[in-house]
Amino acid sequence: MGWNHHHGSFLELGLRAMILRMPRLIGSTIRLARRADRQALLQVAAAEIGGGVAQAVGLVAVNRVLVQLLGHGETTERLTAAAPALVAVAVTAVVGALLKSASTAGTGRLEPKVFRVATEEYLERVARVELAAVEDEEFHKLLDSAQWGAESARRMIRFCVSVITAAIALVAAAGVLTALHPALLPLLAVMTLPSAWSALTIARRRYISFHTWVQHARAGQLLGRLLIDVQAAPEVRVHNIGPFLLRHFRTMAETGEREQTRLASLAARTGLIASGWTGLATVATYGVLGVLLWTGAMGLAVAGTAVIAVRTGSANLESLVVQLNYLYEESLFVADLGRLCQEADRRLIPETGRPLPRRVDAVRFENVTFTYPGTTDSRPALEEVSVTIPTGRIVALVGNNGSGKSTLAKLLCGLYAPDAGRILWGGMDAVEADRADLFDRIAVVTQDFYRWPFTARINVAIGRPEAPYDDDLLHAAAEYAGADETVASLPRGWDTLLARGYRGGHQISGGQWQRLGIARARHRDARILVVDEPTSALDAEAEQRVFDQIRSLAAEGQTIVLITHRLHSVRHADTIYVLEHGRVAEHGTFDELMRPDADGPGLFRRMYLVQAEQYRVDGHSVALPARQGRPVAETAPGPVADPQP
């Protein structure tokens, strides 16, 4: 699986292989087009078949015109005799033009629809794969390649139509040539073989070059996007990063240009060789026609028709080879798309499982060990962790960076399964549960939650997409998070687009975004709320308000899992788990962990005192006054030798 899965596929690509695979390639394209727009597909098919018939009739009519014009008799008599055939030539030309126009219109309808269908095919699957797949480097490589497959599926429609057009026209020309003289058909093939070899060789080089240089090209595109990215714009200007990015962009672009120049030089050399061989084959073909005329084996009128048919058939055969080559090349990228869909199907979040118990007294981690897939570090992210999260309580997870707090939250949310141990919802193991049911019971708000480039209304309501956008529910969630003031300050209120760079777009601060994120989690109204550093961008009073609200939720029966580095905010937690190097170092209530003689390493007490020292002024803690309507902590955190409840 992955980037180079079909590297070297062109090594087996020859003219015979292409012809043998043509029905399968066209069949897969037709099936995709049928799903996209059956009526447009029928329109294209009817137009192409009709165009082929018109061309064959036109060639026969041309032969009839030449026979009459080059026959015996007066000029007026010959013109009169040729008139019906001339009318037939004109009619077939008009009909052919109309049918070509109809085919072009149908193809124009099909292409964007096929692109949409192909894109939806992989997006729908990728949105439902396990998080481990999304974070897997090899899966991402296949995803990058498959994204080209959707565009290739669109182009395949055009190439497929061109192949069918050329094939039908070739059959018509070949039939006429065979009727005129059997020796002309193999000469037609000889004239086209050099072009076929040239097209195959150039396409092979282009495809291999693509897979060799695609990551280089993506890196260059990334540098270009960074120069115009809204988020990066302030730092690009203040730190004068623009010249640095532009210099590297230019270096990478110039490297890509050298590769394109190399391919162009090789293509020119290959094309020159093919043109030479084609010229010799053409001379041989017309030489044979001359011999047939010289010996009387072919009449002048027949020879004239043969010249037209040879030129038409040669052009059609060359077009068929080239278009079939393009079709095959695009099909390799479409095959990447198919492989991605197969791999995504293999790694989909299961839709089966047992429903969770209606009432769960607690979620228990029993000796859970977990290592991130693909990690090179042999040390697990969690090792023999046992944690109990009672329903309707506040459980705090604290510890230094990398201690395993967020990893534990991901396992709780069902985003990963433990390598060892169990996560029990009541008495049911989470690996046996219906994942959709599990997801429905959890709401998450993190410090790096996604800022959707939608309106404020959708940014809150998207936490519960299946529910109607009820204004009362949205207002309640916003008021809970303190986001009501943010919404009121927006130019169009709830309907303000929160995306600069678009018409009507508006930018809000990090703290305002965080309030919307908290409102989103509140609007979800899940039984368990996981909050991971939810107030990192809030001011002190807003932060205290959020924590007061969190306590009120617990009082109403909602379970809160609080992950934070601000240890004063966990004072009111029912249980505090201190993690260190993926293990539970100690746990207990705030008072228990702050006792100097408490069991355990005293890690929480030590971290708390380090933070509290930052709030001391002249060796004393600072009393903070309360503001009307905005309750705050009674005192700033200070050294606690014998804390009170």
Side-chain angles (χ1 to χ4, degrees), residues 455-486:
T455 63
R457 181 186 306 277
I458 295 179
N459 260 282
V460 174
I462 203 170
R464 196 176 175 186
E466 75 285 352
Y469 290 177
D470 186 287
D471 282 350
D472 292 336
L473 294 176
L474 293 176
H475 284 303
E479 185 176 1
Y480 161 83
D484 50 342
E485 297 176 359
T486 297

Short mmCIF file of all heavy atoms in Angstrom, two decimals, residues 455-486:
data_model
loop_
_atom_site.label_atom_id
_atom_site.label_comp_id
_atom_site.label_asym_id
_atom_site.label_seq_id
_atom_site.Cartn_x
_atom_site.Cartn_y
_atom_site.Cartn_z
N THR A 455 -20.27 30.33 9.67
CA THR A 455 -20.86 31.37 10.50
C THR A 455 -20.75 31.00 11.98
O THR A 455 -20.48 29.84 12.34
CB THR A 455 -22.34 31.57 10.14
OG1 THR A 455 -23.05 30.35 10.43
CG2 THR A 455 -22.51 31.93 8.68
N ALA A 456 -20.98 32.00 12.83
CA ALA A 456 -20.95 31.74 14.28
C ALA A 456 -22.01 30.72 14.66
O ALA A 456 -21.79 29.86 15.53
CB ALA A 456 -21.17 33.06 15.03
N ARG A 457 -23.16 30.79 14.00
CA ARG A 457 -24.24 29.85 14.29
C ARG A 457 -23.79 28.41 14.04
O ARG A 457 -23.98 27.54 14.88
CB ARG A 457 -25.46 30.18 13.41
CG ARG A 457 -26.66 29.28 13.63
CD ARG A 457 -27.76 29.58 12.60
NE ARG A 457 -28.10 30.99 12.60
CZ ARG A 457 -28.95 31.55 13.45
NH1 ARG A 457 -29.54 30.81 14.36
NH2 ARG A 457 -29.20 32.84 13.37
N ILE A 458 -23.20 28.18 12.88
CA ILE A 458 -22.77 26.82 12.55
C ILE A 458 -21.60 26.39 13.43
O ILE A 458 -21.50 25.22 13.80
CB ILE A 458 -22.40 26.73 11.06
CG1 ILE A 458 -23.64 26.98 10.20
CG2 ILE A 458 -21.78 25.38 10.72
CD1 ILE A 458 -23.39 26.93 8.72
N ASN A 459 -20.73 27.31 13.81
CA ASN A 459 -19.59 26.96 14.66
C ASN A 459 -20.04 26.41 16.00
O ASN A 459 -19.32 25.61 16.61
CB ASN A 459 -18.68 28.18 14.86
CG ASN A 459 -17.47 28.15 13.95
OD1 ASN A 459 -16.51 27.42 14.20
ND2 ASN A 459 -17.55 28.90 12.85
N VAL A 460 -21.18 26.85 16.48
CA VAL A 460 -21.71 26.29 17.73
C VAL A 460 -22.59 25.08 17.44
O VAL A 460 -22.45 24.03 18.08
CB VAL A 460 -22.51 27.36 18.50
CG1 VAL A 460 -23.19 26.74 19.74
CG2 VAL A 460 -21.59 28.49 18.93
N ALA A 461 -23.47 25.18 16.46
CA ALA A 461 -24.42 24.10 16.18
C ALA A 461 -23.76 22.86 15.63
O ALA A 461 -24.31 21.77 15.73
CB ALA A 461 -25.49 24.60 15.21
N ILE A 462 -22.55 22.98 15.05
CA ILE A 462 -21.89 21.83 14.43
C ILE A 462 -21.50 20.79 15.46
O ILE A 462 -21.25 19.63 15.13
CB ILE A 462 -20.65 22.30 13.63
CG1 ILE A 462 -20.29 21.27 12.55
CG2 ILE A 462 -19.46 22.56 14.57
CD1 ILE A 462 -19.24 21.76 11.58
N GLY A 463 -21.49 21.17 16.73
CA GLY A 463 -21.24 20.17 17.78
C GLY A 463 -22.37 19.17 17.91
O GLY A 463 -22.22 18.13 18.55
N ARG A 464 -23.50 19.49 17.31
CA ARG A 464 -24.67 18.61 17.36
C ARG A 464 -25.37 18.69 16.00
O ARG A 464 -26.48 19.18 15.88
CB ARG A 464 -25.60 19.08 18.48
CG ARG A 464 -26.64 18.09 18.93
CD ARG A 464 -27.38 18.72 20.10
NE ARG A 464 -28.49 17.95 20.56
CZ ARG A 464 -29.35 18.36 21.49
NH1 ARG A 464 -29.19 19.55 22.03
NH2 ARG A 464 -30.34 17.59 21.88
N PRO A 465 -24.70 18.21 14.93
CA PRO A 465 -25.19 18.47 13.57
C PRO A 465 -26.53 17.85 13.26
O PRO A 465 -27.23 18.33 12.36
CB PRO A 465 -24.08 17.87 12.69
CG PRO A 465 -23.40 16.87 13.56
CD PRO A 465 -23.47 17.42 14.95
N GLU A 466 -26.92 16.80 13.99
CA GLU A 466 -28.20 16.15 13.68
C GLU A 466 -29.38 16.90 14.28
O GLU A 466 -30.53 16.64 13.93
CB GLU A 466 -28.18 14.71 14.19
CG GLU A 466 -28.33 14.53 15.69
CD GLU A 466 -27.06 14.89 16.47
OE1 GLU A 466 -26.02 15.12 15.80
OE2 GLU A 466 -27.10 14.92 17.71
N ALA A 467 -29.11 17.84 15.20
CA ALA A 467 -30.19 18.57 15.86
C ALA A 467 -30.56 19.81 15.05
O ALA A 467 -29.72 20.37 14.34
CB ALA A 467 -29.76 18.98 17.27
N PRO A 468 -31.81 20.26 15.12
CA PRO A 468 -32.19 21.50 14.41
C PRO A 468 -31.48 22.70 15.03
O PRO A 468 -31.13 22.71 16.21
CB PRO A 468 -33.71 21.56 14.62
CG PRO A 468 -33.96 20.75 15.86
CD PRO A 468 -32.93 19.66 15.87
N TYR A 469 -31.26 23.72 14.19
CA TYR A 469 -30.56 24.91 14.66
C TYR A 469 -31.55 25.78 15.46
O TYR A 469 -32.02 26.81 15.00
CB TYR A 469 -29.98 25.69 13.49
CG TYR A 469 -28.82 25.00 12.81
CD1 TYR A 469 -28.21 25.54 11.69
CD2 TYR A 469 -28.33 23.79 13.30
CE1 TYR A 469 -27.15 24.90 11.06
CE2 TYR A 469 -27.27 23.14 12.68
CZ TYR A 469 -26.69 23.69 11.55
OH TYR A 469 -25.64 23.05 10.95
N ASP A 470 -31.84 25.32 16.66
CA ASP A 470 -32.79 26.01 17.52
C ASP A 470 -32.10 27.19 18.19
O ASP A 470 -31.10 27.02 18.90
CB ASP A 470 -33.32 25.03 18.57
CG ASP A 470 -34.43 25.63 19.41
OD1 ASP A 470 -34.12 26.49 20.25
OD2 ASP A 470 -35.59 25.24 19.22
N ASP A 471 -32.62 28.41 17.97
CA ASP A 471 -31.99 29.60 18.51
C ASP A 471 -31.94 29.59 20.03
O ASP A 471 -30.98 30.07 20.64
CB ASP A 471 -32.71 30.85 18.02
CG ASP A 471 -32.35 31.19 16.58
OD1 ASP A 471 -31.40 30.57 16.06
OD2 ASP A 471 -33.00 32.07 15.99
N ASP A 472 -32.98 29.06 20.67
CA ASP A 472 -32.99 29.03 22.13
C ASP A 472 -31.84 28.17 22.66
O ASP A 472 -31.17 28.54 23.64
CB ASP A 472 -34.33 28.50 22.64
CG ASP A 472 -35.47 29.46 22.36
OD1 ASP A 472 -35.18 30.68 22.20
OD2 ASP A 472 -36.63 29.02 22.30
N LEU A 473 -31.63 27.01 22.03
CA LEU A 473 -30.53 26.15 22.46
C LEU A 473 -29.19 26.81 22.21
O LEU A 473 -28.27 26.72 23.05
CB LEU A 473 -30.60 24.81 21.72
CG LEU A 473 -31.81 23.92 22.01
CD1 LEU A 473 -31.77 22.67 21.12
CD2 LEU A 473 -31.83 23.52 23.49
N LEU A 474 -29.04 27.48 21.07
CA LEU A 474 -27.79 28.15 20.77
C LEU A 474 -27.51 29.29 21.75
O LEU A 474 -26.39 29.46 22.23
CB LEU A 474 -27.81 28.69 19.33
CG LEU A 474 -27.85 27.66 18.21
CD1 LEU A 474 -27.97 28.35 16.86
CD2 LEU A 474 -26.59 26.79 18.24
N HIS A 475 -28.55 30.08 22.07
CA HIS A 475 -28.37 31.18 23.01
C HIS A 475 -28.00 30.66 24.39
O HIS A 475 -27.16 31.26 25.09
CB HIS A 475 -29.65 32.01 23.09
CG HIS A 475 -29.87 32.90 21.90
ND1 HIS A 475 -28.96 33.86 21.51
CD2 HIS A 475 -30.89 32.97 21.01
CE1 HIS A 475 -29.40 34.48 20.43
NE2 HIS A 475 -30.57 33.95 20.10
N ALA A 476 -28.62 29.56 24.80
CA ALA A 476 -28.30 28.99 26.11
C ALA A 476 -26.85 28.52 26.17
O ALA A 476 -26.15 28.75 27.17
CB ALA A 476 -29.25 27.82 26.41
N ALA A 477 -26.39 27.86 25.10
CA ALA A 477 -25.00 27.39 25.06
C ALA A 477 -24.04 28.57 25.05
O ALA A 477 -22.99 28.55 25.73
CB ALA A 477 -24.77 26.51 23.83
N ALA A 478 -24.37 29.61 24.29
CA ALA A 478 -23.49 30.78 24.21
C ALA A 478 -23.43 31.50 25.56
O ALA A 478 -22.35 31.93 26.00
CB ALA A 478 -23.98 31.74 23.13
N GLU A 479 -24.57 31.62 26.22
CA GLU A 479 -24.59 32.29 27.53
C GLU A 479 -23.79 31.50 28.55
O GLU A 479 -23.06 32.07 29.37
CB GLU A 479 -26.04 32.47 27.99
CG GLU A 479 -26.17 33.27 29.27
CD GLU A 479 -27.62 33.50 29.66
OE1 GLU A 479 -28.51 33.01 28.92
OE2 GLU A 479 -27.85 34.15 30.68
N TYR A 480 -23.90 30.19 28.48
CA TYR A 480 -23.15 29.34 29.39
C TYR A 480 -21.64 29.57 29.25
O TYR A 480 -20.91 29.66 30.24
CB TYR A 480 -23.48 27.87 29.10
CG TYR A 480 -22.46 26.90 29.63
CD1 TYR A 480 -22.49 26.48 30.96
CD2 TYR A 480 -21.45 26.39 28.81
CE1 TYR A 480 -21.55 25.60 31.45
CE2 TYR A 480 -20.50 25.52 29.29
CZ TYR A 480 -20.56 25.12 30.62
OH TYR A 480 -19.62 24.26 31.11
N ALA A 481 -21.17 29.71 28.02
CA ALA A 481 -19.73 29.84 27.77
C ALA A 481 -19.25 31.28 27.79
O ALA A 481 -18.05 31.53 27.60
CB ALA A 481 -19.40 29.21 26.41
N GLY A 482 -20.16 32.24 27.97
CA GLY A 482 -19.75 33.63 27.90
C GLY A 482 -19.56 34.09 26.47
O GLY A 482 -18.94 35.14 26.22
N ALA A 483 -20.08 33.32 25.50
CA ALA A 483 -19.94 33.69 24.09
C ALA A 483 -21.08 34.57 23.61
O ALA A 483 -21.07 35.03 22.47
CB ALA A 483 -19.88 32.43 23.23
N ASP A 484 -22.08 34.83 24.48
CA ASP A 484 -23.19 35.67 24.07
C ASP A 484 -22.73 37.09 23.76
O ASP A 484 -23.22 37.73 22.82
CB ASP A 484 -24.28 35.68 25.15
CG ASP A 484 -23.72 35.96 26.55
OD1 ASP A 484 -22.49 35.82 26.74
OD2 ASP A 484 -24.50 36.33 27.44
N GLU A 485 -21.77 37.58 24.54
CA GLU A 485 -21.24 38.91 24.28
C GLU A 485 -20.47 38.93 22.95
O GLU A 485 -20.53 39.91 22.20
CB GLU A 485 -20.34 39.36 25.43
CG GLU A 485 -21.08 39.48 26.76
CD GLU A 485 -20.13 39.82 27.90
OE1 GLU A 485 -18.91 39.95 27.63
OE2 GLU A 485 -20.59 39.98 29.04
N THR A 486 -19.75 37.85 22.66
CA THR A 486 -19.01 37.76 21.40
C THR A 486 -19.97 37.80 20.22
O THR A 486 -19.77 38.54 19.26
CB THR A 486 -18.19 36.45 21.35
OG1 THR A 486 -17.22 36.47 22.40
CG2 THR A 486 -17.48 36.30 20.02
#
